[in-house]
Amino acid sequence: MDNLPDIVSGLQQVFMSTAFMWDTEVLHKYGTSGPRYTSYPTANLFRGDFGVSAYLEDLEQLRQRITPVSLYLHIPFCQKACFYCGCNRTITRDRGKIAAYVDALLLEIEQAAAIHGHRRVRQLHWGGGTPSYLEPAEITQLMHAISSHFDMDGSSSRDYSIELDPRSIDESKLALLKGLGFNRLSMGIQDFDSQVQSAINRRQEFPMVERLTRAVRRFEFSSLNFDLIYGLPKQTEQGISDTLDKVLELSPDRIACYNYAHMPDRFPAQRAILASDLPEPSERIDIYASIGERLTSAGYEHIGMDHFARKDDELCKAAREGSLQRNFQGYSRALAEDLVGLGASSISQVGDFYVQNERDPEAYVSMMEQGSLPIIRGIRLSEEDKLRRYVIQTLICRLRLDKRAVNRAFSIDFNRYFSGQLQQLKKFEEDGLVELGDTQIRITEAGRLVLRNICMLFDQHLGESSAVRFSKTI
Ligand code: SF4
């Protein structure tokens, strides 16, 4: 019976659907560093001298705009450091510091409402950090401020979501969130394997998550997302398979499955992770393939690069209808033209600009106390940027690009304009990652893993920044 594991693994190969039978060797050669394309141009190109006066003039015009708006609120505080973390967060138990930050946010909500307050808030997202680490009174205060300064959406089609750390939430906080109007929740799970949880310094037992999930269902939130991460230290195919058993038992509506980016030079907390504990690149691909296989077999649809959703979830409908967007919060439905970011480090996408707030929470608080605009850098999109953003966004969200639609929208001849890129894409086509038609470019199932590489071909600014800043694409 010594060869039983080999037999089991062989059977898994036989039963694995062809969609997830990738040639690891082929994919391996595409392993490079590159942006995640949550914006184009990417945030590392934002500059301090982006032209704040032109931006302010643009804002004046926006006072006339009556289309819906998205709001993003950044809460940068966490109680304990997870070793894999690459977010802009501050570890603190100092409630006074958090209270001062909430006061600053209240001021920025008022400041933003002076421009956008009349617009309907179709999307609202609280991210971090750990928004659920706030006290119930602080959460209530912030939500009341937003509701009294903006035109809130009471319809069931709104997207009002918040990121939860299961360790900082209980049933009474969930009830509060429901009462305040949040209808979508996202829980950071990462992996249920206890060895992995120890290696990343994030212990959260399954029974706790199970209890919370049951409460989420009882309170009838519209949608629950679980975040998983693959490529973590001590992670194995067997371990992730056990994690997926538990995930499927809880049956979240959406699952985001991110690729861990090990960049200890950029993110000091990651120095506590031993490189020797990380799965090899080929193992990571196998782990991702087994996740994809399990989730799609269980009825989830694969969306974009790294999301899965139940067929009746709004995200799936948006993917089918072509109304998906990708921004700093990952994939979501495209419900509003402008995204207004509030809080330290948050990024706004308004008019022709991306602008970013001061990253340091204390510096942000003093700027707000002095009545200044907290923006420190940004970029104005050129016409060329808009064209390339359209191409990149379409590929990354729809997995297909209609060249005729690009020709119509930007008055170009796609084949001539991007002849160099089409030439480079031939290599991807030979490897079964894209299909190049007369009128369309289509990404195959295996091509989802190299979507970032494909988008990089259309990124005019790629050479302007050091690749060291970016994570590995595979
Ligand atoms: S992963 Fe989330 S909870 Fe953990 S330190 Fe980072 S922001 Fe905080």
Side-chain angles (χ1 to χ4, degrees):
M1 297 298 281
D2 281 347
N3 60 347
L4 189 59
D6 290 340
I7 295 170
V8 172
S9 133
L11 285 173
Q12 280 170 344
Q13 287 295 320
V14 170
F15 289 122
M16 190 173 265
S17 75
T18 49
F20 292 95
M21 287 188 67
W22 298 322
D23 187 334
T24 310
E25 287 299 307
V26 167
L27 289 170
H28 206 258
K29 68 183 185 198
Y30 290 93
T32 182
S33 298
R36 288 180 189 268
Y37 292 109
T38 50
S39 70
Y40 182 81
T42 51
N44 59 306
L45 293 163
F46 299 177
R47 299 163 55 115
D49 60 350
F50 71 100
V52 73
S53 51
Y55 172 64
L56 292 177
E57 274 168 35
D58 237 45
L59 278 187
E60 279 308 312
Q61 306 291 325
L62 287 179
R63 281 183 200 277
Q64 316 301 325
R65 198 172 267 185
I66 51 167
T67 50
V69 70
S70 273
L71 295 184
Y72 170 74
L73 228 77
H74 190 74
I75 310 292
F77 304 106
C78 303
Q79 191 170 359
K80 205 172 167 198
C82 309
F83 292 157
Y84 61 86
C85 181
C87 302
N88 180 47
R89 88 286 186 272
T90 300
I91 309 300
T92 186
R93 289 178 189 233
D94 179 349
R95 300 306 310 194
K97 194 187 251 188
I98 299 175
Y101 182 83
V102 169
D103 286 344
L105 258 181
L106 294 170
L107 293 173
E108 200 189 1
I109 290 168
E110 270 184 54
Q111 201 180 67
I115 307 290
H116 306 283
H118 60 285
R119 300 170 73 182
R120 165 103 2 144
V121 180
R122 291 281 284 137
Q123 260 166 335
L124 171 69
H125 184 79
W126 292 24
T130 309
S132 53
Y133 186 35
L134 291 181
E135 296 288 358
E138 292 167 332
I139 296 174
T140 310
Q141 209 182 356
L142 284 169
M143 199 59 163
H144 274 174
I146 296 169
S147 319
S148 45
H149 287 96
F150 285 85
D151 178 16
M152 302 302 273
D153 187 347
S155 75
S156 59
S157 66
R158 71 188 188 278
D159 262 11
Y160 286 7
S161 57
I162 181 165
E163 295 168 11
L164 307 178
D165 179 337
R167 299 165 302 172
S168 67
I169 192 106
D170 56 20
E171 292 195 22
S172 66
K173 234 182 219 181
L174 282 177
L176 173 72
L177 296 175
K178 174 74 182 179
L180 291 175
F182 288 100
N183 60 352
R184 300 184 186 279
L185 305 177
S186 179
M187 249 188 238
I189 303 296
Q190 328 317 355
D191 194 317
F192 280 122
D193 186 318
S194 60
Q195 284 207 56
V196 176
Q197 291 192 356
S198 297
I200 60 174
N201 198 36
R202 187 177 170 123
R203 298 300 307 239
Q204 47 187 48
E205 305 300 333
F206 176 69
M208 173 180 67
V209 177
E210 186 183 29
R211 209 170 40 249
L212 288 170
T213 304
R214 305 222 181 285
V216 168
R217 297 300 183 206
R218 214 167 45 248
F219 293 134
E220 298 185 342
F221 284 92
S222 310
S223 174
L224 172 65
N225 172 75
F226 279 2
D227 280 348
L228 301 180
I229 303 183
Y230 70 99
L232 288 172
K234 304 272 186 194
Q235 208 168 40
T236 60
E237 262 195 83
Q238 184 54 53
I240 205 77
S241 170
D242 295 343
T243 289
L244 289 170
D245 287 342
K246 295 186 169 95
V247 167
L248 292 175
E249 192 185 322
L250 301 182
S251 191
D253 306 279
R254 301 176 185 177
I255 298 168
C257 186
Y258 298 111
N259 182 358
Y260 169 59
H262 190 57
M263 305 173 77
D265 293 340
R266 247 185 102 185
F267 306 115
Q270 295 185 352
R271 290 179 201 148
I273 290 178
L274 293 177
S276 57
D277 282 343
L278 296 171
E280 294 292 324
S282 58
E283 276 180 82
R284 291 163 76 103
I285 295 172
D286 289 344
I287 289 173
Y288 189 68
S290 64
I291 294 172
E293 172 63 20
R294 284 289 301 280
L295 295 181
T296 50
S297 305
Y300 287 86
E301 261 181 38
H302 201 173
I303 293 175
M305 291 193 286
D306 43 22
H307 281 45
F308 297 85
R310 293 213 161 276
K311 288 189 170 59
D312 56 352
D313 189 89
E314 296 291 343
L315 203 64
C316 257
K317 290 186 200 154
R320 282 194 290 269
E321 290 162 6
S323 57
L324 204 64
Q325 67 179 2
R326 182 167 168 81
N327 62 21
F328 308 100
Q329 287 90 58
Y331 288 101
S332 59
R333 293 189 294 158
L335 296 179
E337 199 174 348
D338 296 312
L339 166 68
V340 177
L342 303 163
S345 80
S346 66
I347 296 175
S348 300
Q349 181 187 337
V350 286
D352 286 349
F353 287 86
Y354 287 111
V355 293
Q356 184 170 29
N357 278 357
E358 165 61 49
R359 289 176 63 87
D360 175 58
E362 284 182 26
Y364 164 80
V365 169
S366 17
M367 287 168 100
M368 291 317 303
E369 283 170 353
Q370 287 158 24
S372 326
L373 206 62
I375 292 163
I376 52 154
R377 57 193 199 124
I379 194 166
R380 180 181 209 149
L381 272 77
S382 65
E383 292 308 307
E384 183 72 26
D385 289 334
K386 289 181 201 167
L387 160 63
R388 286 169 188 263
R389 177 168 72 177
Y390 176 89
V391 170
I392 289 172
Q393 272 274 328
T394 307
L395 284 170
I396 220 160
C397 292
R398 297 190 191 178
L399 303 173
R400 65 174 70 226
L401 180 79
D402 184 338
K403 298 179 200 173
R404 294 163 304 182
V406 185
N407 292 346
R408 278 194 301 274
F410 295 92
S411 307
I412 61 162
D413 175 348
F414 189 95
N415 285 338
R416 198 170 318 150
Y417 202 91
F418 289 115
S419 61
Q421 286 81 357
L422 289 171
Q423 192 58 36
Q424 289 172 289
L425 276 172
K426 289 209 167 110
K427 179 171 65 114
F428 290 76
E429 188 179 37
E430 284 159 20
D431 288 335
L433 304 169
V434 295
E435 288 168 7
L436 301 175
D438 287 342
T439 57
Q440 282 206 344
I441 297 173
R442 200 185 77 79
I443 313 290
T444 64
E445 191 59 40
R448 288 181 199 258
L449 266 94
V450 295
L451 249 173
R452 288 161 70 187
N453 302 62
I454 293 167
C455 292
M456 282 161 73
L457 300 179
F458 294 93
D459 182 345
Q460 193 188 27
H461 299 290
L462 202 57
E464 295 169 27
S465 57
S466 160
V468 177
R469 292 188 55 81
F470 299 121
S471 60
K472 292 266 183 247
T473 52
I474 292 179

